[in-house]
């Protein structure tokens, strides 16, 4: 069983920055992929940034160069540093983890970027 709890979402002006945190608990070291996803109203949930147990990191083209995913193993926490935010970054951001063909989600945290 894996539990994921996100925090850090807020209302921010375009050009600003936010850091999202995902506190993880349970046994998740044998994951296939872990990362951040976002969903805007009427849109499919999409991968923003994720990494595999092998160390590969992928970013959506729209956030490359602006967002950075990282992890603090001592705190069991995954971060998403979001810089130069744009209104199109608005959405609910979820921490997600796939393990043994099962997917776990946090409750999400809302990010709203005003123009």
């Amino acid at each position: 069983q894996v539990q994921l709890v996100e925090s850090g979402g807020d209302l921010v002006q375009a050009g600003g920055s936010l850091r999202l945190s995902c506190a993880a608990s349970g046994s998740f070291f044998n994951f296939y992929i872990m990362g951040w996803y976002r969903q805007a109203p009427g849109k499919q949930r999409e991968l923003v940034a994720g990494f595999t147990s092998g160390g590969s990191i992928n970013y959506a083209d729209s956030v490359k160069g602006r967002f950075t995913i990282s992890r603090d193993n001592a705190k069991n926490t995954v971060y998403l540093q979001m810089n130069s935010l744009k209104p199109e970054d608005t959405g609910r951001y979820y921490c997600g983890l796939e393990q043994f063909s099962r997917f776990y989600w946090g409750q999400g945290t809302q990010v709203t970027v005003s123009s």
Side-chain angles (χ1 to χ4, degrees):
Q1 186 177 0
V2 178
Q3 296 84 44
L4 306 169
V5 180
E6 305 95 331
S7 63
D10 206 349
L11 172 65
V12 64
Q13 292 182 325
S17 298
L18 287 172
R19 189 179 74 163
L20 307 183
S21 299
C22 171
S25 62
S27 181
F28 62 94
F29 47 86
N30 290 125
F31 64 88
Y32 180 73
I33 186 170
M34 184 176 186
W36 288 94
Y37 301 73
R38 70 185 177 191
Q39 186 169 22
K43 301 290 186 179
Q44 293 289 324
R45 190 172 298 182
E46 63 175 344
L47 176 68
V48 175
F51 60 89
T52 69
S53 60
S56 178
I57 301 176
N58 293 312
Y59 293 96
D61 289 340
S62 61
V63 307
K64 189 176 296 184
R66 299 187 297 120
F67 292 8
T68 303
I69 187 171
S70 62
R71 184 176 70 175
D72 186 336
N73 289 333
K75 297 181 178 180
N76 292 326
T77 301
V78 177
Y79 303 97
L80 184 67
Q81 180 65 47
M82 310 165 68
N83 298 325
S84 302
L85 283 162
K86 304 175 180 179
E88 49 263 44
D89 294 319
T90 293
R92 192 163 185 86
Y93 285 69
Y94 298 86
C95 186
L97 183 150
E98 184 178 0
Q99 183 186 62
F100 305 124
S101 299
R102 292 190 295 176
F103 216 95
Y104 301 86
W105 297 103
Q107 82 286 353
T109 184
Q110 181 67 33
V111 172
T112 302
V113 184
S114 62
S115 60

